Amino acid sequence: MPFYSDELIEEVRSRNDIVDVISGYVRLQKKGSTWFGLCPFHNEKTPSFSVSPNKQMYYCFGCGAGGNVLTFLMQYENFTFQEAMQSLADRAGITLPKQEMSAAQKRESDRRTKILEINKVAAEYFYRLLRSPQGKHALEYFQKRELTAATMQHFGLGYSNKYRDDLYQYLKKRGYPDDILKDSGLIRIDEARGGGDKFWNRAMFPIMDANNRVIGFGGRVMGEGEPKYLNSPETIVFDKSRNLYGLNFARSSRRQGILLCEGYMDVIALHQAGFDNAVASLGTALTSGHASLLKRCTKEVYLTFDSDGAGIRAALRAIPILKEAGITAKVINMKPYKDPDEFIKALGAEAYQERIDAAENSFLFEIRMLEQDYDLSDPESKTAFFRKVSERLLEFSETLERENYIEAVTRRYQIGFEQLRSMVNHAGARGGIAADRKPLKSGVHENKKKEDGMKKSQRLLLTWLIEDPVLFDRLGELIGPEDFTEEIYRQVAEIVYAQHAEGGVNPARIISMFPEEEQQRETAALFNARIDSLDKKQDREKALNETVRRVKQNSIAYRSKHLDPTDMAGLQKLVEDRKRLAKLHISID
């Protein structure tokens, strides 16, 4: 992992204004000295996502996401710290120093490079074979599927020969040793029988990453044989759960949203028909890693899975994963056809676009699928159905959004709005409104537990200190870093006091000092406690004094509990602190 000095990290961070960067992702409006917008990390209707140019920080009062400009790119783009640094350095015209790799890192890097090279050589070999006499039946298969020569070239389609060691012999002649060939996932090495191909007698689909590098393959058997479709195993360059077929093309599409399919041929057929925003998972169910990839490209996904039972189950599994990532999902109805490929062949691109335009809201799709478990002609079963729907409606935490969905359900099922709302409220009273809300994007959760009162007080005091630096002098010796009893709060307080002594507190720089995303989020929360809801000076003054008193009383109690009875200096400090606390009064100018 590259090492960057604190000074370089701060230079990159400070040269990228957080409002400028985030406004490229989120529509922001200025209110006073702060900018607000809809949070990109959870679904909301009322803006609770704040960006402070003074603190160079962002914070969402709804879900708790927060940090500096580096944290934002790591959360939103799913970047590593190094990727975020490189992106912001490029944006600011800063050249990052090249890092010397250890011997182990150099070997790992060389291995990755070599496997990518082998994949490229194999893809070119398969491509040529498809267009040779040996690949005639695979070429006929693609032509029967109505793929044009241009489409086959665009996707680099190929053929793996019917001989079980054809690719192995070809790669050996190119000078690649057995150990690296085995690690590529293309070759099996058997001590008794030697090397053999993973793919043989198959129509081949190269799988590319977002940078158009071949990272793996899919193969469809020609003639009889199992499995019908075969994918590369996971390798040092290929992770099925974090790559999507066709994303290298779809990410630059100008079409709205992303079409999420089940198979390679669906993606290829849609692209050929002009829908170049289609992608598919690689033989696995949709994962949170896939959702993170999609989040980089779009806020809206159209599920265009097979219309059979398996496709419906796949859609029902995918919807909550997409919701968790903050992506709006809609479901395309392709009946009476099975998949996009069949639909396009039968009715054409224009009809498919009409199905996209008429795509069903994912929640209403889920309810329609739920309906199949009940007999709505039977009063008891119908009542049970609406009870279940009421529970599902509680997933919407915002009242307005929940009532909009109540209205949509009442229109579809001819039930009175007030009747259904009453059932929802009753269900909420039993289990708590939105009690079953799902966790949000990586590391970001809505407030599941009532926050500890002392943590709140310590957070509030830290926010007050950075927003009103004169308090450092007014608090004098009464409050210091040691009075913050939560571990990360104390660490932050030590840095805050040290920075103040050196001339000024820099919240965004403090966040960069913590390597973990969760620590950065919690640090951001320490600087964004709400203290602006009290308009009158006497009310704010009273709140400040109460906050300081609670923090100090907690500190005294904590030290008393853990003090060594022989520590006379510690005992004397406790006595002095109690005297100061008894005389506490801090004024606000």
Side-chain angles (χ1 to χ4, degrees), residues 13 16-19 22 28 33-36 49-61 64-72 463 466-467 492 505-512 519-529:
R13 186 205 61 74
N16 286 274
D17 180 74
I18 195 165
V19 175
I22 292 182
L28 299 174
S33 61
T34 304
W35 296 77
F36 284 89
F49 181 80
S50 65
V51 184
S52 169
N54 296 332
K55 299 176 188 176
Q56 284 295 298
M57 294 170 55
Y58 68 94
Y59 187 74
C60 177
F61 294 99
N68 60 18
V69 68
L70 285 157
T71 320
F72 181 83
T463 300
I466 69 160
E467 295 205 347
V492 172
V505 179
N506 186 337
R509 184 169 191 172
I510 294 173
I511 290 172
S512 296
Q519 292 176 315
Q520 294 177 358
R521 186 184 69 82
E522 196 163 354
T523 302
L526 295 180
F527 299 138
N528 285 279

Side-chain angles (χ1 to χ4, degrees), residues 115 119 122 126 167 181-188 198-199 202 204-208 214-220 227 229-241 264 282-284:
I115 288 175
N119 284 341
F126 294 147
L167 179 65
L181 289 176
K182 183 179 179 181
D183 287 350
S184 73
L186 284 166
I187 303 297
R188 299 187 181 97
K198 170 81 171 178
F199 299 96
R202 288 180 180 270
M204 298 299 293
F205 302 81
I207 300 165
M208 300 181 192
V214 180
I215 55 175
F217 294 87
R220 197 238 189 239
Y229 280 96
L230 183 67
N231 285 321
S232 290
E234 297 209 346
T235 68
I236 194 173
V237 301
F238 181 47
D239 181 347
K240 294 177 188 178
S241 68
Y264 304 123
L282 300 163
T284 65

Side-chain angles (χ1 to χ4, degrees), residues 86-314:
Q86 187 65 61
S87 175
L88 292 175
D90 292 345
R91 188 177 184 275
I94 298 171
T95 302
L96 295 179
K98 293 193 179 296
Q99 304 292 321
E100 291 295 325
M101 289 189 285
S102 66
Q105 288 173 328
K106 182 70 165 59
R107 285 194 299 272
E108 181 82 353
S109 176
D110 289 346
R111 205 163 194 79
R112 287 180 63 89
T113 301
K114 191 63 70 176
I115 288 175
L116 287 170
E117 180 184 304
I118 288 170
N119 284 341
K120 183 180 179 182
V121 170
E124 291 170 347
Y125 184 60
F126 294 147
Y127 183 88
R128 290 196 302 273
L129 274 179
L130 178 67
R131 291 146 183 87
S132 72
Q134 296 100 308
K136 180 182 177 183
H137 56 313
L139 183 62
E140 289 173 348
Y141 165 76
F142 286 132
Q143 290 171 339
K144 188 176 180 181
R145 299 296 297 264
E146 299 182 16
L147 299 187
T148 65
T151 295
M152 286 186 262
Q153 180 181 8
H154 184 64
F155 283 91
L157 303 183
Y159 169 68
S160 56
N161 215 334
K162 62 183 179 180
Y163 303 109
R164 293 173 181 258
D165 65 347
D166 186 71
L167 179 65
Y168 174 67
Q169 295 299 337
Y170 178 77
L171 293 172
K172 286 292 287 183
K173 288 176 184 175
R174 297 287 295 259
Y176 297 108
D178 282 357
D179 62 332
I180 194 76
L181 289 176
K182 183 179 179 181
D183 287 350
S184 73
L186 284 166
I187 303 297
R188 299 187 181 97
I189 302 295
D190 185 282
E191 290 184 9
R193 293 183 293 178
D197 297 350
K198 170 81 171 178
F199 299 96
W200 53 277
N201 195 30
R202 288 180 180 270
M204 298 299 293
F205 302 81
I207 300 165
M208 300 181 192
D209 66 9
N211 298 310
N212 293 306
R213 298 178 302 183
V214 180
I215 55 175
F217 294 87
R220 197 238 189 239
V221 70
M222 292 291 93
E224 300 299 320
E226 292 293 335
K228 184 177 179 181
Y229 280 96
L230 183 67
N231 285 321
S232 290
E234 297 209 346
T235 68
I236 194 173
V237 301
F238 181 47
D239 181 347
K240 294 177 188 178
S241 68
R242 297 193 65 83
N243 286 283
L244 291 162
Y245 185 71
L247 187 64
N248 55 315
F249 301 128
R251 67 199 297 257
S252 58
S253 172
R254 294 187 178 184
R255 284 185 171 271
Q256 179 183 349
I258 292 285
L259 300 171
L260 183 59
C261 313
E262 286 192 80
Y264 304 123
M265 285 305 304
D266 290 329
V267 171
I268 295 170
L270 285 169
H271 278 248
Q272 183 170 278
F275 300 96
D276 60 353
N277 55 334
V279 302
S281 57
L282 300 163
T284 65
L286 191 77
T287 67
S288 58
H290 294 140
S292 295
L293 273 178
L294 290 167
K295 179 70 174 179
R296 296 187 190 185
C297 307
T298 186
K299 292 185 177 181
E300 191 169 46
V301 166
Y302 293 85
L303 298 174
T304 180
F305 292 171
D306 290 0
S307 57
D308 59 12
I312 290 170
R313 288 191 294 275

